Amino acid sequence: MTARVYNFNPGPAILPLPVLNEIQRDLLDFAGTGMSILEVSHRSKEYEAVHLETEASLKELLGLGDDYRVLFLGGGASLQFAMVPLNFLPTGATADYILTGSWSEKAYEEAGRIGRVHIAASSKDTNYDRIPHPDEIRLSPNPAYVHITSNNTIYGTQWASLPSFGEIPLVADMSSDILSRRFDATKFALIYAGAQKNLGPAGVTVVIIRRDMLEKVPSHLPVMLRYDIHAKNNSLYNTPPAFAVYTVMLVLRWVKSQGGIAAIEARNKEKAALVYAAIDESGGFYRGHARPEARSLMNVTFRLPSEELEKAFLAEAKAAGLVGLKGHRSVGGLRASIYNAMPGEGCRVLAEFMRDFARRNG
Ligand SMILES: *Cc1c(COP(=O)(O)O)cnc(C)c1O
């Protein structure tokens, strides 16, 4: 067996080892069917149990009741950039976007291909190193919805507290921080998340939608783009990404076994503090991209004094079993993605490596 590394990739990302072991153990015979989960019908009662458990678990973990539905869709979070305005931005109305990074820009641009959009706030002027202050947010007169990105995977910033705009439907891309901390999910009309960061493998996108929103969906849309059709058919209008949903189910079981979101949040705070301390105590050798008050618990972005040192850092880290640390090209430098499945030990080893590297090269 090859040794496992500490995987800091931004997505697809690390999965909990017990989940991978369970998948391996049950791969050839799923739930006593004598078939792999990859082979069973999505109309079978065995798969139905997976589907129902995954929806129920997610709602339970997020504290949501019958007024919400959970959908399992394909197309990634990127398809949601289009589906949200297709379903909820009628002609003549305006949708408001708060820009906090590349993913929210993409969501905004996609919505602009469909209808009228308004930038309610943006932190682009400082290269997305912060989250706009509530005082900076200027909504349009009667927005169809407000869209935010709760965690900015590329820049390493995160809304410290999530906003709320009363009756105006609030939509959030939570791809890179769903289930990482407690928040009031009942404040949201729709939450979407590609699974490949905190929930499971690539291939399924979770959409959590408040039931009343389903009534707003225009019937002229192609059916595969309609939230109400997917909801009415329990996400089984067509073949769902069954293996990905099954893996999400196992990840949710694992989250519960860890003590739920509150316990995961406490651990995530400790983990992030270890890595940020290595930055802050380096006497300027490491420079964090995010302003301290906007720092993400999930993606830690930082630079070294030169690109040569960044290259050397990456190579030495890899040799030490710390992989996936290269930053996104729009920020440069390094990024440690420390999602729920990253054990505390991974963050301790990384912080120790950072201190040692700074001592030797500072
Ligand atoms: C990764 C990511 C996306 C893109 O997800 P896809 O599933 O590849 O479309 C969108 N938004 C955020 C915040 C992300 O981190």
Short mmCIF file of all heavy atoms in Angstrom, two decimals, residues 8 274-279 281 286 313 320 322 344-360:
data_model
loop_
_atom_site.label_atom_id
_atom_site.label_comp_id
_atom_site.label_asym_id
_atom_site.label_seq_id
_atom_site.Cartn_x
_atom_site.Cartn_y
_atom_site.Cartn_z
N PHE A 8 -3.61 19.10 0.21
CA PHE A 8 -4.12 20.46 0.39
C PHE A 8 -4.76 21.00 -0.89
O PHE A 8 -4.91 22.21 -1.05
CB PHE A 8 -2.99 21.39 0.86
CG PHE A 8 -2.47 21.05 2.23
CD1 PHE A 8 -1.35 20.24 2.38
CD2 PHE A 8 -3.10 21.53 3.36
CE1 PHE A 8 -0.87 19.91 3.64
CE2 PHE A 8 -2.63 21.21 4.63
CZ PHE A 8 -1.50 20.39 4.77
N LEU A 274 -3.49 27.33 13.40
CA LEU A 274 -2.12 26.78 13.31
C LEU A 274 -1.40 27.35 12.09
O LEU A 274 -0.24 27.77 12.17
CB LEU A 274 -2.16 25.25 13.20
CG LEU A 274 -2.57 24.46 14.44
CD1 LEU A 274 -2.83 23.00 14.06
CD2 LEU A 274 -1.49 24.56 15.50
N VAL A 275 -2.09 27.35 10.95
CA VAL A 275 -1.43 27.79 9.71
C VAL A 275 -1.25 29.32 9.70
O VAL A 275 -0.19 29.82 9.33
CB VAL A 275 -2.22 27.30 8.47
CG1 VAL A 275 -1.47 27.66 7.19
CG2 VAL A 275 -2.45 25.79 8.55
N TYR A 276 -2.30 30.04 10.13
CA TYR A 276 -2.17 31.51 10.16
C TYR A 276 -1.08 31.94 11.15
O TYR A 276 -0.39 32.94 10.91
CB TYR A 276 -3.52 32.17 10.49
CG TYR A 276 -4.48 32.14 9.32
CD1 TYR A 276 -5.70 31.47 9.38
CD2 TYR A 276 -4.16 32.79 8.12
CE1 TYR A 276 -6.57 31.44 8.30
CE2 TYR A 276 -5.03 32.78 7.03
CZ TYR A 276 -6.24 32.10 7.14
OH TYR A 276 -7.10 32.07 6.06
N ALA A 277 -0.91 31.19 12.24
CA ALA A 277 0.14 31.55 13.20
C ALA A 277 1.51 31.44 12.53
O ALA A 277 2.40 32.28 12.75
CB ALA A 277 0.06 30.65 14.43
N ALA A 278 1.67 30.42 11.70
CA ALA A 278 2.97 30.26 11.01
C ALA A 278 3.22 31.44 10.07
O ALA A 278 4.37 31.86 9.88
CB ALA A 278 2.99 28.94 10.24
N ILE A 279 2.17 32.00 9.50
CA ILE A 279 2.32 33.20 8.66
C ILE A 279 2.66 34.41 9.55
O ILE A 279 3.64 35.12 9.31
CB ILE A 279 1.01 33.48 7.88
CG1 ILE A 279 0.76 32.38 6.85
CG2 ILE A 279 1.05 34.87 7.21
CD1 ILE A 279 -0.58 32.47 6.12
N GLU A 281 3.80 34.71 12.54
CA GLU A 281 5.01 34.69 13.36
C GLU A 281 6.28 34.63 12.52
O GLU A 281 7.37 34.43 13.05
CB GLU A 281 4.94 33.49 14.33
CG GLU A 281 3.87 33.68 15.40
CD GLU A 281 3.45 32.38 16.05
OE1 GLU A 281 4.17 31.36 15.89
OE2 GLU A 281 2.38 32.37 16.70
N TYR A 286 6.36 35.18 5.31
CA TYR A 286 5.10 34.82 4.64
C TYR A 286 4.17 36.02 4.74
O TYR A 286 4.05 36.63 5.80
CB TYR A 286 4.44 33.63 5.34
CG TYR A 286 5.28 32.38 5.31
CD1 TYR A 286 5.84 31.87 6.49
CD2 TYR A 286 5.50 31.69 4.12
CE1 TYR A 286 6.61 30.71 6.47
CE2 TYR A 286 6.27 30.53 4.11
CZ TYR A 286 6.82 30.05 5.28
OH TYR A 286 7.58 28.92 5.25
N PHE A 313 9.66 26.08 -2.10
CA PHE A 313 8.73 25.67 -1.04
C PHE A 313 7.85 24.52 -1.53
O PHE A 313 7.70 23.50 -0.86
CB PHE A 313 7.87 26.87 -0.63
CG PHE A 313 6.90 26.60 0.50
CD1 PHE A 313 7.18 27.01 1.79
CD2 PHE A 313 5.69 25.95 0.25
CE1 PHE A 313 6.28 26.77 2.84
CE2 PHE A 313 4.79 25.69 1.29
CZ PHE A 313 5.08 26.11 2.58
N ALA A 320 8.10 16.32 1.29
CA ALA A 320 7.76 16.03 2.69
C ALA A 320 6.33 15.49 2.84
O ALA A 320 5.83 15.34 3.95
CB ALA A 320 7.94 17.30 3.53
N LEU A 322 3.50 16.92 1.58
CA LEU A 322 2.48 17.98 1.66
C LEU A 322 2.21 18.44 0.23
O LEU A 322 3.03 19.14 -0.36
CB LEU A 322 3.00 19.14 2.51
CG LEU A 322 3.49 18.79 3.92
CD1 LEU A 322 4.31 19.93 4.52
CD2 LEU A 322 2.30 18.48 4.82
N GLY A 344 -6.28 17.68 11.87
CA GLY A 344 -5.46 18.68 12.56
C GLY A 344 -3.98 18.41 12.38
O GLY A 344 -3.17 19.34 12.24
N GLU A 345 -3.63 17.13 12.36
CA GLU A 345 -2.22 16.75 12.21
C GLU A 345 -1.64 17.30 10.90
O GLU A 345 -0.48 17.73 10.87
CB GLU A 345 -2.10 15.22 12.27
CG GLU A 345 -0.69 14.68 12.30
CD GLU A 345 0.14 15.19 13.48
OE1 GLU A 345 -0.43 15.70 14.47
OE2 GLU A 345 1.38 15.11 13.38
N GLY A 346 -2.43 17.32 9.84
CA GLY A 346 -1.97 17.86 8.56
C GLY A 346 -1.60 19.33 8.69
O GLY A 346 -0.60 19.78 8.14
N CYS A 347 -2.41 20.07 9.44
CA CYS A 347 -2.14 21.50 9.63
C CYS A 347 -0.93 21.71 10.53
O CYS A 347 -0.14 22.63 10.31
CB CYS A 347 -3.37 22.20 10.20
SG CYS A 347 -4.74 22.22 9.03
N ARG A 348 -0.79 20.85 11.54
CA ARG A 348 0.40 20.95 12.42
C ARG A 348 1.67 20.68 11.62
O ARG A 348 2.66 21.41 11.74
CB ARG A 348 0.31 19.93 13.58
CG ARG A 348 -0.11 20.56 14.90
CD ARG A 348 -0.03 19.57 16.05
NE ARG A 348 -0.93 18.44 15.84
CZ ARG A 348 -2.24 18.49 16.05
NH1 ARG A 348 -2.81 19.60 16.50
NH2 ARG A 348 -3.00 17.45 15.82
N VAL A 349 1.65 19.64 10.79
CA VAL A 349 2.83 19.30 10.00
C VAL A 349 3.15 20.43 9.01
O VAL A 349 4.31 20.80 8.84
CB VAL A 349 2.61 17.95 9.26
CG1 VAL A 349 3.72 17.67 8.27
CG2 VAL A 349 2.50 16.81 10.27
N LEU A 350 2.11 21.00 8.39
CA LEU A 350 2.33 22.11 7.45
C LEU A 350 2.93 23.32 8.18
O LEU A 350 3.90 23.93 7.70
CB LEU A 350 1.01 22.50 6.77
CG LEU A 350 1.08 23.77 5.91
CD1 LEU A 350 2.05 23.59 4.73
CD2 LEU A 350 -0.31 24.16 5.39
N ALA A 351 2.35 23.68 9.33
CA ALA A 351 2.84 24.85 10.08
C ALA A 351 4.30 24.64 10.48
O ALA A 351 5.13 25.56 10.39
CB ALA A 351 1.97 25.10 11.30
N GLU A 352 4.62 23.44 10.90
CA GLU A 352 6.01 23.12 11.30
C GLU A 352 6.94 23.23 10.09
O GLU A 352 8.03 23.81 10.17
CB GLU A 352 6.04 21.70 11.90
CG GLU A 352 7.25 21.41 12.74
CD GLU A 352 7.71 22.60 13.58
OE1 GLU A 352 6.91 23.14 14.38
OE2 GLU A 352 8.87 23.01 13.40
N PHE A 353 6.48 22.71 8.95
CA PHE A 353 7.27 22.80 7.72
C PHE A 353 7.50 24.27 7.36
O PHE A 353 8.60 24.67 6.97
CB PHE A 353 6.56 22.07 6.57
CG PHE A 353 7.27 22.23 5.26
CD1 PHE A 353 8.30 21.37 4.90
CD2 PHE A 353 6.92 23.25 4.39
CE1 PHE A 353 8.98 21.54 3.70
CE2 PHE A 353 7.59 23.44 3.19
CZ PHE A 353 8.62 22.58 2.84
N MET A 354 6.45 25.09 7.48
CA MET A 354 6.56 26.52 7.14
C MET A 354 7.59 27.21 8.04
O MET A 354 8.42 27.99 7.57
CB MET A 354 5.19 27.21 7.28
CG MET A 354 4.21 26.83 6.18
SD MET A 354 2.51 27.42 6.49
CE MET A 354 2.73 29.20 6.28
N ARG A 355 7.56 26.90 9.33
CA ARG A 355 8.52 27.53 10.25
C ARG A 355 9.94 27.12 9.89
O ARG A 355 10.86 27.95 9.85
CB ARG A 355 8.22 27.10 11.69
CG ARG A 355 6.98 27.72 12.24
CD ARG A 355 7.00 27.82 13.76
NE ARG A 355 5.83 28.59 14.16
CZ ARG A 355 4.61 28.05 14.32
NH1 ARG A 355 4.43 26.75 14.16
NH2 ARG A 355 3.59 28.81 14.62
N ASP A 356 10.09 25.85 9.62
CA ASP A 356 11.43 25.33 9.30
C ASP A 356 11.94 25.94 8.00
O ASP A 356 13.09 26.38 7.91
CB ASP A 356 11.34 23.80 9.21
CG ASP A 356 12.69 23.18 8.89
OD1 ASP A 356 13.64 23.45 9.66
OD2 ASP A 356 12.81 22.48 7.87
N PHE A 357 11.06 26.03 7.00
CA PHE A 357 11.46 26.60 5.70
C PHE A 357 11.85 28.07 5.86
O PHE A 357 12.84 28.52 5.27
CB PHE A 357 10.31 26.45 4.69
CG PHE A 357 10.70 26.83 3.28
CD1 PHE A 357 11.25 25.88 2.42
CD2 PHE A 357 10.53 28.13 2.82
CE1 PHE A 357 11.61 26.22 1.12
CE2 PHE A 357 10.91 28.49 1.53
CZ PHE A 357 11.46 27.53 0.68
N ALA A 358 11.09 28.81 6.65
CA ALA A 358 11.39 30.24 6.88
C ALA A 358 12.74 30.40 7.60
O ALA A 358 13.54 31.27 7.27
CB ALA A 358 10.27 30.89 7.69
N ARG A 359 13.00 29.52 8.57
CA ARG A 359 14.29 29.57 9.30
C ARG A 359 15.45 29.37 8.35
O ARG A 359 16.46 30.05 8.40
CB ARG A 359 14.31 28.48 10.39
CG ARG A 359 14.25 29.00 11.81
CD ARG A 359 14.51 27.93 12.85
NE ARG A 359 13.87 26.65 12.63
CZ ARG A 359 12.66 26.31 13.11
NH1 ARG A 359 11.97 27.17 13.82
NH2 ARG A 359 12.16 25.13 12.86
N ARG A 360 15.29 28.42 7.46
CA ARG A 360 16.39 28.07 6.55
C ARG A 360 16.56 29.08 5.42
O ARG A 360 17.64 29.22 4.86
CB ARG A 360 16.17 26.67 5.96
CG ARG A 360 16.42 25.56 6.98
CD ARG A 360 16.31 24.18 6.38
NE ARG A 360 14.94 23.79 6.09
CZ ARG A 360 14.43 23.68 4.88
NH1 ARG A 360 15.18 23.91 3.82
NH2 ARG A 360 13.17 23.32 4.71
#
